[in-house]
């Protein structure tokens, strides 16, 4: 224990006290990859900021052998016996025995032992099959947000920046990487070598990275001012990394040009880690990627993956400025890292690949993800207080997608040139520092001359966003606008509706777009030409717009005249779908809008049509089969005509990626809705695939073919896919690669056969077969698309709760995302009560917010169905029986002419 007169050992939220600041870490680690352990020595040069007799720093799952502290006044002290550990806060507390005044310098020396079996967090090992067929270990780190403490005792908070040097003692055949270049390497004479690296700049603990492995292949680019190297586990992967490397170099050159700040380190390494944490991690100078977010193979990866991988690479490299160089002072403002990286990655994508229509994609994907989460009562503000241990809980669509959308809206409001000028001030002022949100507002205000804090604070410090209700006075020609907080649960209270946002209206008329109009008050009236206008042109603003049914029909009627952009049309559909769930518009008006948009040609508009219809179908998924049949029939009526007209020739010679994606989207949607002709075609494609030709099915439509085959096939189709990714039910095979394997994993969950569904769950539960960190990405594409699968997944979580939690709780976001995935698609009041009851007596501290959001989602769907059940059923029966002229061809697919 520390002396009674010491300052507190943690603040009110459980973080470290601000009494001591580290300046330099000298680390030595000796890992035993076969044994799964490591030895460590940490020497930390630190300074006292505020008088204290207690040194509090973070440590987790480390066995401390020796603790020594050296100061000028106290001399060299062995304080091993004066050191205690608080497991709840993961704090090591060293009682120095005397009050150290502010300004005291010290060296803290700690010897310890750790484990490499910490899941996929901290310093961990993972096994993969090398190209030779042998099993190989690789040890690497994943420290974000607060897991550096699992590798070395440290002050594990982002504002506590320091310098780092590293020495590794490893097998002589091993290859080692660190944030900085190699300084020296020599044999110790006992089969091991000592590898020493250069010292990093001042940086946060979560950005430290080291990797130890065998047989790495590399590609190097020297056409930039520092070498850029891609490391992979095989020669074949090295060939694929050439494309990734090219994207990386182009991004870094672009970022330097727009941010006006040169990359700071002497090298940049990009490494693909097999069987690693999903996604990527921006470690300064040593960026880690999972293989399925870095290596694009045109032979096996669907075309949209090329854009996705480029976006991931751009995002992580954007972090080299916003996370590494300029780091948020606290996880409560993690949007300063994640929102910035997401936004500037889109700028890079738009610059490098203008044909990708990245801003249309942003409206359909990123913007909707942010709006969807932030429409929940249990959402949170961008800037939100969190407790220690809950850091990963805010690494979500609010920090990433809403953060990026707010930055985009702000850049549009200020003008991109002015925004970048403010960013230049911000970057130079806080290089190697740790700013807060107000520091950004100040820099942007200096650049623009505007009160950016007044604009930005409601968007970042208040939960939610507004819906702009649009009324019209046909006599006066005035448009009446009002703003209120939007909740999909349709039950906003007066206390929840106090915020007034500054809303850029972006008014589009037939002749111009007015960017300067701002709605600051609750209500306003403005004169607009009533023949045509649209609020939120190109959906540059982070809000929804609720039109009258007449105006909604009017906008749908002009959709193809050129007055509405792709983003306008997609955003109009997205708003209508969300507003119908929240009772701001009638659900049948939303379905009428979909009907009116059925002749669309844009991939992104069709994605929004399919996504919003799928959201409604998810809510109705536990309704009787009669209703499901009506929804299937409506889906076919909407999608099949276009799917059949585009056809299903997915030739690899077709280089039009957008067209192939559209064909695949419609093919899959119609097939899963029961289009018999497409089902027959898909089964034909699959049977050629299952004859040992995994490359036969074009990557663009592969997942669709697999899911249709499992859904409408039988045991043969199921087993063909299962044994493609788990032939031994033990370790990953060399082939198929990640893209094919993940499609197989997703597709087997589409079976409706009870025995096979149980087998799918057992297969998912095999740690060595399915990496648990991919669950949140693959389960929604398969097992969670049908009611049996949703219930089976929920039962899996309930029945194996403790074992699954033990496997996942140490991985970044793995556990809380898994809980959310397994619960949020339940959709009845009975299921809602069941979820609440199950978690009532459990410790939900680390995933409390995610669980509440899932419960909120269940409630929203249940009350939506309860409210609109009869209305939608009646509308479907009327439309499909009376308004449509239906001709069923020999395969049972629908040919429909709609009279709208």
């Amino acid at each position: 224990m520390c002396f009674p007169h010491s300052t507190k050992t943690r603040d009110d939220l459980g973080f470290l006290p601000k009494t001591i600041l580290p300046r330099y870490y000298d680390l030595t680690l000796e890992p035993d990859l076969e044994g799964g352990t490591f030895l460590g020595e940490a020497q930390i040069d630190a300074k006292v900021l505020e008088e204290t007799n207690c040194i509090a720093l973070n440590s987790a799952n480390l066995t401390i052998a020796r603790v020594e502290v050296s100061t000028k006044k106290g001399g060299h002290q062995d304080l091993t016996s004066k050191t205690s550990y608080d497991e709840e806060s993961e704090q090591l507390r060293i009682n120095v025995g005397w009050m150290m005044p502010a300004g005291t310098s010290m060296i803290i020396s700690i010897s310890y032992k750790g484990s490499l079996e910490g899941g996929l967090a901290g310093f961990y090992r993972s096994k993969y099959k090398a190209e030779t067929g042998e099993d190989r270990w690789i040890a690497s780190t994943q420290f974000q947000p607060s897991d550096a403490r699992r590798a070395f005792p440290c002050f594990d908070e982002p504002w506590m920046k320091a310098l780092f040097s590293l020495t590794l003692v490893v097998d002589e055949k091993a290859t080692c990487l660190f944030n900085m270049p190699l300084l020296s390497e020599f044999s110790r004479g006992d089969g091991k070598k000592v590898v020493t690296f250069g010292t990093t700049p001042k940086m946060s603990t979560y950005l430290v990275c080291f990797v130890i492995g065998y047989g790495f292949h590399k590609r190097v680019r020297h056409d930039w001012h520092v070498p850029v190297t891609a490391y992979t586990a095989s020669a074949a992967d090295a060939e694929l990394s050439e494309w990734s490397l090219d994207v990386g170099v182009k991004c870094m050159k672009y970022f330097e040009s727009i941010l006006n700040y040169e990359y700071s380190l002497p090298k940049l390494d990009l490494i693909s880690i097999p069987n690693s944490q999903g996604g990527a991690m921006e470690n300064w100078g040593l960026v880690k990627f999972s293989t399925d977010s870095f290596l694009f193979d045109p032979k096996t990866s669907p075309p949209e993956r090329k854009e996705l991988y480029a976006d991931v690479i751009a995002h992580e490299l954007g972090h080299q400025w916003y996370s590494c160089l300029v780091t948020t002072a606290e996880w409560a403002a993690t949007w300063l890292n994640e929102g910035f990286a997401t936004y500037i990655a889109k700028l890079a994508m738009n610059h490098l690949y203008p044909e990708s229509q990245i801003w249309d994609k942003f409206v359909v994907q990123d913007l909707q993800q942010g709006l969807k989460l932030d429409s929940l009562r249990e959402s949170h503000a961008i800037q939100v207080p969190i407790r220690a241990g809950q850091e990963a809980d805010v690494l979500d669509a609010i920090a990433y997608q809403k953060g990026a959308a707010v930055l985009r809206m702000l850049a549009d409001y200020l003008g991109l040139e002015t925004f970048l000028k403010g960013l230049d001030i911000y970057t130079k002022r806080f290089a190697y520092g740790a700013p807060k949100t107000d520091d950004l507002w100040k820099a942007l205000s200096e650049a623009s001359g505007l009160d950016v804090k007044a604009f930005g604070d409601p968007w970042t410090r208040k939960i939610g966003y507004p819906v702009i209700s649009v009324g019209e006075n046909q006599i006066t020609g005035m448009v009446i606008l009002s703003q209120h907080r939007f909740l999909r649960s349709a039950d906003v209270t007066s206390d929840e509706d106090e915020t007034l946002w500054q809303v850029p209206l972006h008014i589009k008329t037939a002749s111009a777009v007015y960017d300067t109009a701002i709605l600051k008050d609750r209500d306003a009236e403005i004169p607009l030409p009533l023949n045509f206008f649209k609020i939120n042109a190109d959906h540059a603003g982070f809000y929804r717009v609720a039109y009258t049914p007449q105006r909604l029909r009017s906008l749908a009627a002009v959709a193809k005249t050129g007055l509405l952009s792709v983003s306008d049309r997609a955003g109009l559909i997205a708003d209508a779908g969300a507003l119908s769930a929240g009772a701001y518009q009638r659900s049948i008006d939303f379905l009428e809008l979909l009907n009116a948009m059925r002749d669309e040609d844009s991939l992104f508009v069709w994605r929004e049509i399919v996504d919003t219809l799928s959201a409604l179908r998810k809510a109705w998924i536990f309704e009787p089969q009669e209703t499901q049949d009506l929804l299937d029939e409506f889906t076919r009526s909407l999608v099949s005509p276009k799917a059949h007209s585009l056809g299903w020739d997915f030739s690899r010679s077709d280089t039009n990626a957008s067209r192939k994606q559209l064909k695949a989207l419609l093919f899959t949607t119609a097939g899963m809705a029961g289009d018999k002709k497409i089902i027959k075609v898909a089964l034909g494609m699959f049977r050629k695939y299952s004859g040992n030709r995994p490359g036969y099915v074009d990557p663009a439509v592969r997942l669709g073919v697999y899911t249709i085959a499992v859904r409408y096939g039988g045991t043969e189709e199921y087993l063909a896919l299962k044994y493609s990714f788990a032939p031994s039910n033990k370790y990953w095979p060399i082939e198929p690669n990640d893209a094919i394997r993940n499609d197989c994993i997703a597709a087997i969950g589409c079976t409706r056969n009870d025995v096979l569904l149980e087998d799918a769950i057992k297969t998912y539960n095999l740690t060595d077969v399915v990496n648990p960190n991919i669950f949140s990405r693959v389960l929604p594409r398969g097992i969670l698309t049908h009611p049996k699968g949703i219930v089976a997944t929920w039962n899996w979580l309930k029945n194996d709760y403790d074992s699954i939690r033990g496997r996942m709780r140490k991985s970044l976001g793995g556990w809380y995302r898994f809980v959310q995935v397994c619960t949020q698609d339940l959709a009845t009041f009975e299921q809602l009560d069941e979820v609440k009851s199950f978690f009532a007596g459990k410790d939900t501290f680390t995933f409390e917010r995610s669980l509440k959001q899932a419960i909120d989602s269940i409630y929203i769907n249940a009350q939506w169905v309860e409210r609109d059940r009869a209305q939608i059923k009646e509308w479907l029966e009327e439309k499909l029986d009376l308004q449509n002229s239906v001709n069923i061809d020999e395969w049972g697919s629908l040919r429909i002419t709609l009279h709208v």
Side-chain angles (χ1 to χ4, degrees):
M1 295 290 293
C2 297
F3 282 180
H5 297 293
S6 68
T7 54
K8 56 187 176 182
T9 55
R10 53 179 171 170
D11 66 17
D12 293 337
L13 295 175
F15 295 104
L16 293 173
K18 296 177 172 60
T19 53
I20 296 174
L21 183 68
R23 296 181 291 198
Y24 172 68
Y25 292 81
D26 186 3
L27 305 173
T28 300
L29 291 102
E30 184 173 351
D32 176 2
L33 268 63
E34 289 295 330
T37 61
F38 64 94
L39 299 175
E41 294 273 349
Q43 287 198 340
I44 308 170
D45 180 341
K47 180 180 180 180
V48 176
L49 300 179
E50 180 182 313
E51 183 183 50
T52 184
N53 66 356
C54 184
I55 302 169
L57 66 164
N58 296 115
S59 176
N61 292 354
L62 300 178
T63 301
I64 306 299
R66 179 179 53 84
V67 177
E68 298 175 351
V69 176
S70 298
T71 61
K72 185 175 181 180
K73 179 180 178 180
H76 182 80
Q77 298 175 275
D78 184 340
L79 299 175
T80 307
S81 63
K82 302 293 185 180
T83 300
S84 61
Y85 182 68
D86 181 69
E87 186 172 359
E88 180 186 356
S89 62
E90 297 183 332
Q91 286 187 18
L92 200 65
R93 295 167 184 169
I94 307 168
N95 177 12
V96 297
W98 57 283
M99 296 301 293
M100 298 181 293
T104 301
S105 294
M106 69 183 77
I107 301 293
I108 308 164
S109 302
I110 304 176
S111 300
Y112 60 96
K113 183 177 182 179
S115 171
L116 295 172
E117 303 291 356
L120 297 178
F123 185 26
Y124 67 92
R125 65 176 183 170
S126 55
K127 183 178 285 188
Y128 69 98
K129 263 197 192 306
E131 53 196 336
T132 59
E134 64 180 310
D135 291 334
R136 280 184 182 166
W137 288 110
I138 183 171
S140 61
T141 60
Q142 172 60 48
F143 290 161
Q144 188 190 39
S146 54
D147 286 315
R149 64 192 69 178
R150 300 181 187 280
F152 54 95
C154 58
F155 298 83
D156 203 8
E157 295 178 18
W159 71 275
M160 293 180 162
K161 289 189 167 187
L163 310 178
F164 295 83
S165 65
L166 175 70
T167 297
L168 293 172
V169 181
V170 296
D171 185 89
E172 284 190 338
K173 296 180 181 179
T175 299
C176 302
L177 300 173
F178 180 55
N179 303 80
M180 295 296 285
L182 177 73
L183 276 187
S184 66
E185 181 178 313
F186 64 89
S187 174
R188 205 169 66 172
D190 59 353
K192 292 193 172 184
K193 61 183 178 181
V194 178
V195 184
T196 303
F197 297 90
T199 302
T200 71
K202 195 176 176 183
M203 60 189 268
S204 302
T205 50
Y206 76 90
L207 295 166
V208 174
C209 181
F210 34 93
V211 179
I212 302 102
Y214 298 87
F216 290 151
H217 296 258
K218 67 179 184 178
R219 294 286 189 274
V220 187
R221 287 277 294 267
H222 294 285
D223 54 338
W224 190 42
H225 61 85
V226 303
V228 184
T229 307
Y231 289 89
T232 59
S234 71
D237 285 351
E239 292 295 325
L240 297 178
S241 73
E242 294 276 8
W243 173 83
S244 312
L245 201 55
D246 186 61
V247 172
V249 171
K250 288 177 178 176
C251 284
M252 294 301 281
K253 291 178 179 178
Y254 173 73
F255 289 142
E256 284 189 335
S257 70
I258 65 164
L259 300 176
N260 196 30
Y261 199 104
E262 190 172 272
Y263 174 71
S264 307
L265 269 61
K267 58 96 176 175
L268 175 62
D269 295 337
L270 315 177
I271 182 167
S272 169
I273 306 284
N275 199 18
S276 71
Q277 184 74 267
M281 178 60 205
E282 69 262 21
N283 314 295
W284 207 355
L286 178 53
V287 185
K288 277 179 53 182
F289 299 88
S290 60
T291 53
D292 65 344
S293 63
F294 186 64
L295 300 174
F296 176 75
D297 185 348
K299 296 178 181 178
T300 59
S301 299
E304 64 268 22
R305 285 274 162 180
K306 190 172 187 178
E307 294 176 14
L308 173 62
Y309 292 2
D311 197 9
V312 171
I313 293 167
H315 178 99
E316 301 308 325
L317 297 185
H319 272 312
Q320 302 303 294
W321 283 265
Y322 302 111
S323 180
C324 300
L325 179 68
V326 180
T327 313
T328 180
E330 53 188 356
W331 292 115
T334 191
W335 85 285
L336 292 175
N337 293 351
E338 301 303 344
F340 262 109
T342 303
Y343 174 65
I344 66 173
K346 305 306 183 210
L347 291 178
M349 290 288 291
N350 188 56
H351 174 75
L352 297 174
Y353 309 103
E355 72 282 358
S356 68
Q357 297 177 265
I358 194 63
W359 293 117
D360 293 329
K361 183 180 180 182
F362 182 87
V363 167
V364 169
Q365 185 171 297
D366 299 76
L367 180 63
Q368 300 313 316
Q369 289 173 9
L371 289 168
K372 180 180 180 182
L373 178 53
D374 212 26
S375 67
L376 300 180
R377 175 169 278 109
E378 296 297 340
S379 180
H380 60 87
I382 285 179
Q383 179 86 29
V384 57
I386 57 171
R387 295 189 60 82
Q390 294 180 318
E391 296 90 344
D393 212 17
V394 294
L395 293 170
D396 58 11
I398 301 300
Y400 287 74
Q401 281 77 28
K402 182 180 180 180
V406 168
L407 289 172
R408 181 195 181 209
M409 181 170 62
L410 189 54
D412 193 68
Y413 171 59
L414 300 177
L416 182 59
E417 184 177 345
T418 300
F419 177 80
L420 291 175
K421 180 181 176 183
L423 213 52
D424 181 52
I425 296 170
Y426 172 75
T427 305
K428 288 183 170 64
R429 183 173 293 164
F430 294 101
Y432 306 103
K436 297 183 178 182
T437 297
D438 281 350
D439 296 314
L440 173 64
W441 297 156
K442 185 177 180 180
L444 292 172
S445 295
E446 289 176 28
S448 65
L450 300 174
D451 186 355
V452 177
K453 179 177 171 62
F455 178 94
D457 267 359
W459 294 104
T460 55
R461 296 187 184 276
K462 300 294 184 180
I463 187 173
Y465 59 87
V467 53
I468 307 302
S469 298
V470 182
E472 302 174 25
N473 188 322
Q474 297 295 328
I475 298 175
T476 63
M478 300 295 285
V479 171
I480 303 100
L481 305 175
S482 65
Q483 62 161 305
H484 292 277
R485 183 181 170 191
F486 174 67
L487 282 180
R488 273 191 294 141
S489 52
D491 55 356
V492 181
T493 66
S494 57
D495 290 343
E496 294 171 322
D497 194 25
E498 294 178 344
T499 303
L500 285 176
W501 289 269
Q502 292 192 22
V503 184
L505 293 174
H506 303 291
I507 301 168
K508 176 178 284 190
T509 68
S511 58
V513 175
Y514 301 94
D515 289 327
T516 57
I518 301 286
L519 178 63
K520 297 182 179 181
D521 300 320
R522 181 71 65 195
D523 305 290
E525 292 189 16
I526 54 177
L528 286 176
L530 299 185
N531 62 322
F532 171 76
F533 71 89
K534 183 182 181 296
I535 308 298
N536 200 11
D538 296 325
H539 286 253
F542 191 81
Y543 56 92
R544 301 284 190 195
V545 182
Y547 296 101
T548 64
Q550 295 80 6
R551 177 58 57 183
L552 197 61
R553 287 194 293 270
S554 173
L555 288 169
V558 301
K560 299 267 305 196
T561 64
L563 289 174
L564 296 181
S565 66
V566 169
S567 288
D568 282 327
R569 302 194 306 271
L572 190 68
I573 294 166
D575 281 358
L579 292 167
S580 66
Y584 290 82
Q585 290 177 345
R586 297 188 307 170
S587 294
I588 60 174
D589 290 332
F590 160 60
L591 293 175
E592 291 280 11
L593 177 64
L594 295 188
N595 255 339
M597 306 291 278
R598 63 199 310 276
D599 292 328
E600 257 296 338
D601 295 319
S602 165
L603 165 65
F604 298 105
V605 177
W606 268 111
R607 277 187 183 173
E608 199 55 56
I609 290 172
V610 171
D611 285 350
T612 51
L613 180 58
S614 296
L616 183 144
R617 296 205 61 172
K618 267 292 179 73
W620 262 253
I621 202 163
F622 292 102
E623 288 297 284
Q625 190 60 46
E626 177 188 3
T627 302
Q628 302 303 322
D629 292 342
L630 286 170
L631 287 167
D632 275 339
E633 190 175 346
F634 175 67
T635 303
R636 294 195 302 270
S637 76
L638 198 63
V639 176
S640 287
K642 193 76 172 181
H644 286 240
S645 68
L646 290 175
W648 31 81
D649 178 14
F650 293 94
S651 170
R652 288 184 176 171
S653 62
D654 184 357
T655 58
N656 188 324
S658 180
R659 182 173 59 224
K660 289 180 78 169
Q661 289 177 63
L662 177 57
K663 288 165 65 175
L665 173 68
L666 300 178
F667 179 91
T668 302
T669 304
M672 290 300 284
D675 185 312
K676 292 186 178 180
K677 188 166 189 176
I678 286 178
I679 291 169
K680 182 175 182 179
V681 171
L683 287 171
M685 291 180 180
F686 183 85
R687 284 169 187 143
K688 292 183 179 179
Y689 156 81
S690 60
N692 248 342
R693 298 175 64 186
Y696 176 80
V697 180
D698 189 279
V701 75
R702 181 179 59 230
L703 178 59
V705 168
Y706 290 2
T707 55
I708 292 170
V710 173
R711 166 69 179 88
Y712 294 101
T715 303
E716 180 182 347
E717 288 78 12
Y718 173 90
L719 292 177
L721 291 180
K722 175 184 173 180
Y723 290 114
S724 288
F725 71 85
S728 66
N729 278 347
K730 192 174 182 185
Y731 294 118
W732 295 115
I734 300 173
E735 289 290 346
N737 71 3
D738 280 347
I740 297 176
R741 182 170 63 232
N742 289 346
D743 285 349
C744 293
I745 294 169
I748 65 170
C750 289
T751 180
R752 269 59 164 181
N753 181 291
D754 292 338
V755 174
L756 297 181
L757 194 60
E758 183 180 354
D759 181 74
I761 292 291
K762 289 179 180 177
T763 303
Y764 292 153
N765 214 21
L766 295 173
T767 307
D768 290 331
V769 176
V770 181
N771 180 338
N773 285 279
I774 69 172
F775 284 147
S776 61
R777 286 179 285 154
V778 300
L779 296 187
R781 298 187 292 165
I783 199 168
L784 296 177
T785 60
H786 58 100
K788 281 187 176 182
I790 293 171
V791 172
T793 305
W794 166 231
N795 289 335
W796 174 27
L797 175 64
K798 288 189 298 180
N799 296 337
D800 295 329
Y801 183 83
D802 291 333
S803 64
I804 297 172
R805 185 177 188 181
R807 287 161 52 193
M808 292 190 181
R809 65 188 178 89
K810 301 281 178 63
S811 64
L812 173 62
W815 173 236
Y816 82 79
R817 288 194 184 103
F818 184 74
V819 170
Q820 207 168 44
V821 162
C822 290
T823 54
Q824 66 187 3
D825 289 324
L826 298 166
T828 70
F829 287 115
E830 293 78 13
Q831 291 166 341
L832 177 63
D833 291 339
E834 188 179 340
V835 172
K836 289 179 178 179
S837 175
F838 178 77
F839 286 102
K842 290 183 166 50
D843 177 11
T844 61
F845 176 74
T846 58
F847 61 97
E848 180 180 14
R849 179 176 282 113
S850 302
L851 177 61
K852 287 181 177 179
Q853 289 168 355
I855 288 172
D856 209 359
S857 296
I858 300 169
Y859 172 76
I860 287 167
N861 282 339
Q863 62 86 30
W864 187 12
V865 174
E866 191 77 11
R867 186 184 65 241
D868 290 353
R869 174 186 287 118
Q871 176 192 117
I872 284 184
K873 188 169 185 287
E874 181 182 351
W875 185 90
L876 287 170
E877 289 171 340
E878 180 182 346
K879 281 290 178 183
L880 295 170
D881 291 343
L882 301 178
Q883 276 191 270
N884 301 335
S885 172
V886 182
N887 172 44
I888 300 181
D889 67 18
E890 61 179 312
W891 303 113
S893 59
L894 295 166
R895 306 295 193 184
I896 299 172
T897 303
L898 290 175
H899 305 290
V900 294

